[in-house]
Amino acid sequence: MTETTVQSTPLEQQILTREARIGVVGLGYVGLPFLVEKAKVGFHVTGFDRNEQRAQQVRTGQNYISDVKDEELRDVVERGLVDATTDMTRLADMDVIVICVPTPLDQNLSPDLSFVRSVTEEIARHIRPGQLISLESTTYPGTTEDVLKPILERSGLKAGQDFYLAHSPERVDPGNKRYSTKNTNKVVGGNDPESLRVAVTFYQQAIEHIVPVSSAKAAEMVKVYENTFRAVNIALANEIALLCDRMGLNVWEVLDAAFTKPFGIMPFYPGPGVGGHCIPLDPHYLEWKAREYNFQTHFIALAGETNRKMPEFVVEKAARVLNMDRKALNGSRVLLLGMAYKGDLDDYRESPAIHIYRLLQEASADVIFHDTWTPEVNEHGVVASSVDLTDDLLDTVDLVIITTQHSDVDYQNVVNRAQRVLDTRNATRTLSGKDRVVML
């Protein structure tokens, strides 16, 4: 029996020789790190973004994403490997186009694919035979096949025949010092076998390990499952925190002891809510899609409900803490430590601290915040600036709420000087003199 030899495509040859021109649409938390990684291995990469200021920053090597090293961006720009533009007609010059645009939810928690549709329609106007189009934006299973493919085929070209179409969901963990774009396993699914082969060849050039799956739809399901897994387990930890509050138990003590078991358990911790682009949003993509199949995703719905009510619980507990000193929430000065959704990160997208801030305002508290990582916030109706964390400030506020655990905060000094502290992150666990600290 003779083995069948698969003839490589011209695009695969261009990829292997680094002659393929790469376009990355969307230069945010996913797009910019991806652009830099591809340029580092010798590809010429053009970033596309509607924001001219952002494109100008990339062109001049000015970094604005913490997961990208300043010197690495400057290096690939100085070597002439990176460009950025708002001119979408240049998509026709690209051999590979990677879509990294936002996929938010609307006010009804339904998927908003307006950015994906807009970019795909733009690509369709400039598509040419032989290109690879890969969607990295997180979305519900079936988006690549049911949304992108029909739009692109309006051009008269056919996926799998005239161009290649794939989905490879981003796996970015902002602020993670161990796992980057390069060393995070990359799931890739194609519209057809040839599209999968070409896409795998492309991603192999800059990422250490590729995980091929049978279809773009399977790859989309992988991503939403990953984030749903986290959302459900965080919700369980949050529900245990609510129960421990009722029972007068320290939830952190309970969980730390439970996690000493060497098998059958995985650490997840409670907090003031969930933030970032993934955990608060992505599970609802799967929940929404499941309704098309007359299937109710009870775990996902309950997890979302539990996580969304945590900011309200924090504010309710803040009122109880103030009551210990015979103070009302109305009129009390409350300092939030941290507005980013994650420690040592400059990202406040969907941060629970934003919702806590707004709820405190609605309760007529005099609320302020300190965060050197996110000195300005503007989201969900909250527009505010960070204040300096001085001893005088700590001496005068009625309550400090630790909403984000940043390493640049002297929590011992906070505990020593503040009248009351509500710790939602277990940031004070190893500190002395905690008689004025109340845990979540």
Side-chain angles (χ1 to χ4, degrees):
M1 180 182 294
T2 58
E3 293 185 1
T4 301
T5 301
V6 177
Q7 186 69 34
S8 62
T9 64
L11 178 54
E12 285 175 285
Q13 290 298 319
Q14 289 178 302
I15 290 170
L16 292 170
T17 59
R18 303 296 190 268
E19 295 174 3
R21 295 160 295 181
I22 315 301
V24 178
V25 186
L27 297 175
Y29 288 92
V30 176
L32 186 62
F34 185 86
L35 174 147
V36 172
E37 287 300 326
K38 284 298 178 183
K40 282 165 59 178
V41 297
F43 286 103
H44 285 81
V45 190
T46 301
F48 293 82
D49 202 287
R50 297 290 187 187
N51 187 327
E52 171 56 35
Q53 180 182 359
R54 181 171 285 183
Q56 173 66 18
Q57 286 177 290
V58 173
R59 285 196 297 268
T60 55
Q62 299 178 53
N63 183 31
Y64 50 86
I65 299 293
S66 57
D67 282 350
V68 174
K69 295 180 180 178
D70 295 349
E71 62 273 18
E72 290 186 347
L73 176 59
R74 284 196 302 268
D75 176 64
V76 292
V77 169
E78 290 171 359
R79 289 163 56 194
L81 295 172
V82 165
D83 189 17
T85 183
T86 59
D87 181 6
M88 296 297 171
T89 64
R90 292 180 57 187
L91 289 167
D93 300 328
M94 302 298 110
D95 299 301
V96 178
I97 300 173
V98 181
I99 303 171
C100 304
V101 296
T103 48
L105 297 173
D106 64 19
Q107 60 184 5
N108 298 315
L109 300 181
S110 296
D112 176 5
L113 294 182
S114 58
F115 294 104
V116 171
R117 290 179 185 274
S118 175
V119 166
T120 307
E121 288 167 356
E122 196 69 59
I123 294 172
R125 283 191 279 271
H126 307 290
I127 196 171
R128 58 175 173 77
Q131 288 180 309
L132 166 64
I133 315 299
S134 181
L135 175 66
E136 293 227 355
S137 305
T138 304
T139 184
Y140 59 81
T143 301
T144 303
E145 181 179 350
D146 299 337
V147 178
L148 272 71
K149 182 180 175 181
I151 294 174
L152 294 171
E153 289 188 341
R154 291 176 197 163
S155 64
L157 302 180
K158 297 298 180 183
Q161 178 179 318
D162 302 306
F163 66 92
Y164 311 104
L165 181 61
H167 179 74
S168 184
E170 55 88 1
R171 278 176 165 172
V172 173
D173 184 16
N176 193 316
K177 303 302 182 184
R178 179 179 179 185
Y179 291 107
S180 62
T181 300
K182 180 180 179 180
N183 66 357
T184 300
N185 296 341
K186 187 72 167 160
V187 173
V188 181
N191 172 76
D192 53 87
E194 194 157 344
S195 291
L196 174 61
R197 196 183 74 244
V198 173
V200 167
T201 298
F202 169 65
Y203 283 107
Q204 281 176 333
Q205 306 311 304
I207 297 174
E208 292 177 359
H209 185 63
I210 307 300
V211 183
V213 293
S214 61
S215 65
K217 191 174 185 178
E220 291 158 343
M221 177 62 94
V222 168
K223 174 62 176 181
V224 290
Y225 171 72
E226 291 170 0
N227 288 338
T228 299
F229 174 84
R230 293 173 63 196
V232 169
N233 281 279
I234 291 170
L236 175 60
N238 281 332
E239 190 161 73
I240 293 299
L242 297 176
L243 178 58
C244 284
D245 178 71
R246 291 282 184 92
M247 299 177 72
L249 292 169
N250 184 325
V251 67
W252 306 100
E253 177 189 15
V254 171
L255 293 178
D256 284 343
F259 297 148
T260 62
K261 185 180 179 182
F263 52 87
I265 198 165
M266 181 179 294
F268 284 90
Y269 291 97
V274 292
H277 179 269
C278 293
I279 306 304
L281 306 182
D282 295 350
H284 296 294
Y285 270 72
L286 190 55
E287 183 181 14
W288 177 86
K289 186 64 176 179
R291 298 191 199 112
E292 183 181 314
Y293 296 86
N294 193 30
F295 187 91
Q296 300 299 313
T297 52
H298 299 293
F299 277 107
I300 299 174
L302 183 58
E305 178 185 334
T306 301
N307 290 331
R308 285 194 299 274
K309 71 182 179 183
M310 290 306 292
E312 294 181 5
F313 170 72
V314 171
V315 172
E316 183 269 329
K317 189 153 187 174
R320 281 191 273 143
V321 173
L322 286 166
N323 193 52
M324 295 166 64
D325 295 325
R326 300 180 181 274
K327 295 178 181 178
L329 193 56
N330 186 337
S332 289
R333 197 171 198 209
V334 180
L335 169 66
L336 302 188
L337 288 184
M339 290 298 269
Y341 83 85
K342 185 177 181 181
D344 294 346
L345 197 66
D346 59 356
D347 187 354
Y348 61 80
R349 291 176 298 171
E350 302 300 327
S351 172
I354 299 285
H355 300 287
I356 293 169
Y357 190 104
R358 178 176 51 80
L359 290 169
L360 288 169
Q361 282 187 319
E362 292 174 358
S364 298
D366 176 15
V367 57
I368 53 178
F369 82 89
H370 168 79
D371 193 324
T372 59
W373 290 82
T374 58
E376 306 285 338
V377 297
N378 184 358
E379 186 173 281
H380 295 303
V382 173
V383 181
S385 301
S386 175
V387 299
D388 292 334
L389 187 60
T390 64
D391 288 349
D392 286 344
L393 177 65
L394 291 171
D395 289 341
T396 57
V397 295
D398 298 294
L399 175 65
V400 175
I401 305 178
I402 302 173
T403 42
T404 312
Q405 187 174 356
H406 288 313
S407 61
D408 62 357
V409 174
D410 184 349
Y411 292 106
Q412 184 65 71
N413 189 55
V414 171
V415 170
N416 291 343
R417 305 197 74 100
Q419 298 178 48
R420 292 285 178 183
V421 177
L422 174 55
D423 184 358
T424 74
R425 296 290 190 178
N426 204 20
T428 61
R429 62 189 177 279
T430 61
L431 304 184
S432 60
K434 296 197 297 178
D435 57 301
R436 288 174 290 181
V437 178
V438 177
M439 305 302 291
L440 180 70

